[in-house]
Amino acid sequence: GELDNPEDFAISGTGVIFIADSGNGRIQAFSGDGVFLKEIRKDASGELDKPVSIALDSKDAIYVLDKGRSVVSLYSAKGEPLGVFGNEKDRPTLAKPVSLMVTRDEVFVLDSNRVKVFSHKGRYIRSFGTGGTAPGELDQPLAITATGETTFSIAERGNKRLQSFTTFYKP
């Protein structure tokens, strides 16, 4: 129940608060009134190192960005390990991931000056972005968050700005 350098949190549909407790290398779960419920220290491939970002999908599956190992860990709504992705040999790897967000259909990982997009099961789909100062370019991005069904924003330290983006789906 004690935290050391908490970096992010997410609240489930049932009111459970999940906190990325980076300094302790774990995820902690609390009830809505602050009662400690459990901790998560392992994923499907090993120990969490430095969880820095956490997001939930519409079914309350838990996605954790482990910056220390450059992977995304996937858990059931109950916190059971289901898989790990982002650092497989046959898929694009995460180099310096800093944040993630989950939409209805995809997982977006902010990685260096790019956004890498995966399916909910961890299949790599696409990436976009490059370093720079022009609209759509990124410089030291810090956080990514959904602002609507198909819109999201990215905060940047280097460009000292917040950029908004829209995802277009082709039929």
Side-chain angles (χ1 to χ4, degrees):
E2 295 180 0
L3 302 169
D4 180 11
N5 198 23
E7 299 240 3
D8 198 8
F9 71 95
I11 302 173
S12 75
T14 60
V16 175
I17 302 164
F18 293 95
I19 300 175
D21 185 6
S22 182
N24 287 314
R26 64 186 174 187
I27 301 300
Q28 292 199 61
F30 297 87
S31 68
D33 56 359
V35 175
F36 174 79
L37 300 173
K38 65 179 165 184
E39 70 177 11
I40 302 169
R41 289 191 173 272
K42 294 183 179 185
D43 61 20
S45 69
E47 296 277 333
L48 291 174
D49 183 21
K50 189 175 182 182
V52 296
S53 188
I54 188 167
L56 307 175
D57 68 15
S58 61
K59 296 178 183 172
D60 283 340
I62 307 163
Y63 296 81
V64 175
L65 176 61
D66 187 344
K67 184 177 182 178
R69 294 172 31 223
S70 296
V71 298
V72 175
S73 302
L74 173 60
Y75 301 88
S76 71
K78 294 180 181 181
E80 300 154 338
L82 298 177
V84 175
F85 61 89
N87 207 2
E88 297 83 4
K89 293 179 183 177
D90 60 338
R91 298 183 190 163
T93 60
L94 299 173
K96 295 180 182 178
V98 295
S99 186
L100 66 78
M101 76 168 191
V102 177
T103 66
R104 179 183 48 155
D105 300 315
E106 299 171 325
V107 179
F108 290 66
V109 180
L110 195 52
D111 187 26
S112 300
N113 290 328
R114 299 189 61 78
V115 177
K116 295 181 180 174
V117 184
F118 299 85
S119 72
H120 281 193
K121 294 189 180 204
R123 182 181 54 82
Y124 175 78
I125 299 172
R126 67 184 179 284
S127 67
F128 60 91
T130 188
T133 59
E137 296 177 341
L138 303 171
D139 186 18
Q140 297 176 31
L142 298 169
I144 185 171
T145 189
T147 55
E149 277 287 318
T150 60
T151 58
F152 60 95
S153 294
I154 297 176
E156 300 171 75
R157 176 181 292 135
N159 286 324
K160 298 180 181 151
R161 67 182 176 189
L162 180 71
Q163 288 196 75
S164 294
F165 296 83
T166 300
T167 300
F168 292 103
Y169 292 99
K170 293 183 180 181

